[in-house]
Amino acid sequence: MNVFINKDIPEAGISLLRKKGINLTINPTENVLSRNEFIKICQENDVLLNVGANNLDEDFFQQCPNLKGIALFSVGFDAVKITSANSRKIPVGNTPDVLNRATSDIAFLLMQNVARKAFFNHKKIINGDWNTFNALENLGQELYGKTLGIFGLGRIGFEMARKCKVAFEMNIIYHNRSHNENAEKELNAQYVDFETLLSESDVLSIHSNYTTENNELFNKDTFAKMKRNAIFINTARGKFHNENDLFQALTNDIIWGAGLDVTNPEPMKQDNPLLSLPNCCVLPHIGSATFEARNAMAVCAAQNVIALFEDKKMPFCVNEEVYF
């Protein structure tokens, strides 16, 4: 079996694949392949181990009829047109669970940095603007006893909620497609409708899978329904928020601040006005960027590929219906 890996991944996954005698083609450079280059190599292979944001749409599947499976180096699978994969009986695997803690750590980090304007105050030192003590300057807000609202309380959202509960005794509310009984039992989380989530959250953190129906769900209308002291956190997908509307909300005191590990579009340009705001903290999509998480992701992706090689069901398949 021939497998194309479009960007290098940790050796923990590569070694598993090589031990099985699987033929690997790994993009040897850090350069992003053009779509034509990407598709051409995929046409010559049986399996794609995809790293990064490639659009695996109907056109991709039409041009790559020999593909037998796709292993994603990610939890999210919104870049894959699953209906197109299903119609061709192509299993798609992801890397769930192994980055729950790492990604929730970043959400937790951003929340605290926004609350205390840490990025902005750090820049003041760099710019030589650390002046004498002023009791009215550099004021942030405390998080103790505040309300955390989770949009999409799955595994990552649960980890974020647990951290906030233990560290700051925060009250947990959430909005999901269905109830999370485990969160309600362990964290005393309360299920609420979307409007209540907006109006009652002191911190609103997104941890949902992205779908087109949620495209720019967080916009001028939704920000206007949030508290003036609210902190908006997005570590899921940048397409959940409208970036211009977020800028307007932050500069017009509609919400307190925002912490982003994902942007819309991505990557963010260095002259983006959000980067100059004292109440906005932005990171370059590093939610899973720990040695532990990335190694575990590589192993999960390799296990999905090995299952295809051994004519078995992918252990982390997002479209299990292709097996029936």
Side-chain angles (χ1 to χ4, degrees):
M1 188 170 75
N2 298 312
V3 177
F4 172 48
I5 307 177
N6 65 303
K7 289 185 180 180
D8 207 0
I9 64 172
E11 182 61 27
I14 298 295
S15 60
L16 286 177
L17 296 170
R18 293 200 190 281
K19 285 177 183 178
K20 287 291 181 179
I22 296 172
N23 299 319
L24 302 180
T25 299
I26 304 174
N27 181 17
T29 73
E30 287 300 313
N31 296 329
V32 177
L33 297 170
S34 69
R35 182 167 175 87
N36 287 338
E37 291 171 328
F38 176 72
I39 288 177
K40 184 177 185 301
I41 302 176
C42 288
Q43 290 170 340
E44 299 167 354
N45 286 271
D46 303 301
V47 177
L48 166 65
L49 198 165
N50 186 71
V51 186
N54 289 300
N55 186 20
L56 309 183
D57 54 10
E58 173 62 23
D59 174 69
F60 168 81
F61 285 103
Q62 285 182 2
Q63 294 195 60
C64 301
N66 296 323
L67 276 181
K68 298 177 176 64
I70 295 172
L72 302 173
F73 191 80
S74 66
V75 175
F77 50 90
D78 50 285
V80 183
K81 189 164 186 178
I82 296 297
T83 53
S84 296
N86 287 349
S87 67
R88 295 165 174 84
K89 294 293 184 181
I90 296 175
V92 178
N94 67 341
T95 62
D97 297 335
V98 296
L99 45 68
N100 297 345
R101 290 181 176 178
T103 304
S104 66
D105 284 348
I106 290 296
F108 191 69
L109 173 70
L110 285 168
M111 176 184 71
Q112 294 178 83
N113 274 284
V114 173
R116 299 299 298 270
K117 301 182 180 179
F119 282 28
F120 174 72
N121 284 308
H122 176 68
K123 289 177 183 176
K124 290 179 72 173
I125 300 173
I126 295 173
N127 296 332
D129 193 24
W130 186 352
N131 300 314
T132 57
F133 175 78
N134 186 324
L136 302 179
E137 283 187 350
N138 304 326
L139 302 184
Q141 60 171 300
E142 297 186 8
L143 297 166
Y144 298 96
K146 299 286 181 70
T147 296
L148 170 70
I150 299 280
F151 182 77
L153 208 168
R155 297 179 181 92
I156 298 174
F158 184 90
E159 290 293 335
M160 172 63 169
R162 180 159 55 185
K163 288 178 174 69
C164 293
K165 190 77 171 179
V166 172
F168 297 113
E169 298 181 356
M170 295 180 78
N171 303 307
I172 312 299
I173 61 175
Y174 73 100
H175 181 71
N176 264 17
R177 285 174 294 184
S178 59
H179 284 256
N180 186 324
E181 295 181 0
N182 186 41
E184 292 177 3
K185 179 179 179 181
E186 291 195 26
L187 305 176
N188 197 29
Q190 180 185 357
Y191 178 90
V192 297
D193 60 36
F194 184 60
E195 295 296 315
T196 302
L197 186 82
L198 295 174
S199 64
E200 294 191 4
S201 297
D202 296 300
V203 178
L204 198 160
S205 191
I206 303 176
H207 298 284
S208 177
N209 288 326
Y210 172 80
T211 61
T212 53
E213 67 185 23
N214 288 328
N215 188 60
E216 297 190 352
L217 176 64
F218 292 88
N219 53 46
K220 63 180 180 180
D221 294 329
T222 46
F223 292 134
K225 296 176 182 178
M226 293 170 64
K227 292 183 176 182
R228 295 286 294 272
N229 72 306
I231 294 172
F232 173 74
I233 303 293
N234 189 1
T235 58
R237 285 288 185 268
K239 291 181 180 179
F240 271 111
H241 67 261
N242 179 294
E243 212 138 275
N244 182 62
D245 289 354
L246 177 59
F247 177 80
Q248 296 300 323
L250 293 171
T251 53
N252 291 295
D253 296 325
I254 294 172
I255 62 174
W256 165 277
L260 309 175
D261 188 43
V262 289
T263 59
N264 183 21
E266 193 170 304
M268 176 181 276
K269 293 182 179 180
Q270 66 184 71
D271 61 351
N272 190 302
L274 286 173
L275 296 173
S276 65
L277 298 182
N279 54 347
C280 187
C281 299
V282 184
L283 292 172
H285 204 154
I286 60 169
S288 65
T290 67
F291 290 108
E292 294 85 355
R294 292 282 171 85
N295 282 334
M297 290 171 69
V299 170
C300 285
Q303 289 173 337
N304 280 330
V305 173
I306 290 169
L308 288 168
F309 178 67
E310 296 178 342
D311 199 25
K312 297 177 181 177
K313 180 182 174 183
M314 277 186 173
F316 310 107
C317 187
V318 302
N319 60 336
E320 293 185 348
E321 54 270 27
V322 299
Y323 292 107
F324 304 105

